[in-house]
Every structure is written in structure tokens, then in C-alpha cells.
Amino acid sequence: VQLQASGGGLVQAGGSLRLSCAASGRTFSSYGMGWFRQAPGKEREFVGIITQGGYTTYNADSVKGRFTISRDNGKNTAYLQMSSLKPEDTAVYFCAVHSSGSFASTLSYKYWGQGTQVTVSS
């Protein structure tokens, strides 16, 4: 499986961005798709996940009520809609295929995209 994340960029605080994660292969609908982010000098942080069945859960502490994950199985693509962006949301954002285990652990994911940079200016 190959993942291609896109949609990052520079945005002012309070603005919105939608990230996309396009996956190769014919079994996209069977994957749980997670999103993580990594700021300079920090560990990779769980943002949220959408399961095969469309269930979503988020890192409530950091993105509660501001980020929404969705998927379009017909397009083999997952999305991360981000609104009310803050400077602390600045990071490289990664999508990944969930394998097993805790949604919040990077060890639970087996395929990763290359990441897309999101920069939020104050």
C-alpha cells in the first residue's frame, strides 16, 4: 500500500485546511486510516482515525471539535478537515493504515504516507 498525503500549506490562525490521503490498492475500504502530526523537536502525535466502518475518534485534548476525519472509499482517499487552526497546529501531518492495537500508538500502523506540512501563522 502506498499513501500520498497532500493539501498542506500556510494558513492564518483561525483558518481552515483540508488534507487528503490517497491510497493505492483495491482494498482501501478494509483499512482503518489514521492521522498523526509531528512538530519540530516533538514526538509524532495521534490526531484521529476513521475505521473501516466509518467510526471516528480523535485526540480530544488537541483537536476536539476542530478537526474532522472522513473517507471516500470510491476514491481511495481519506480526509482531514481542519478548522479554527492555531499556531500550535503547525506540524507535518501524516496518514497511516491501522494494523492492530491502540489507535493512538504509531506502532499500530503499518503503512505511512510521506507527510504534508501545515504551517499556521499568528
Side-chain angles (χ1 to χ4, degrees), residues 31 34 36 38 41 49 51 57 61 66 105 109 112 114:
Y31 304 148
F36 286 75
Q38 189 165 19
I49 186 172
T51 67
T57 188
D61 289 344
R66 300 187 298 121
S105 172
Y109 295 79
W112 291 83
Q114 85 288 0

Side-chain angles (χ1 to χ4, degrees), residues 4-9 18-20 35-38 82 91-95 113-119:
Q4 179 73 39
S6 61
R18 188 179 77 160
L19 306 184
S20 299
W35 286 93
F36 286 75
R37 64 185 183 184
Q38 189 165 19
M82 305 183 293
V92 177
Y93 284 71
F94 299 88
C95 58
Q114 85 288 0
T116 184
Q117 176 71 48
V118 172
T119 302

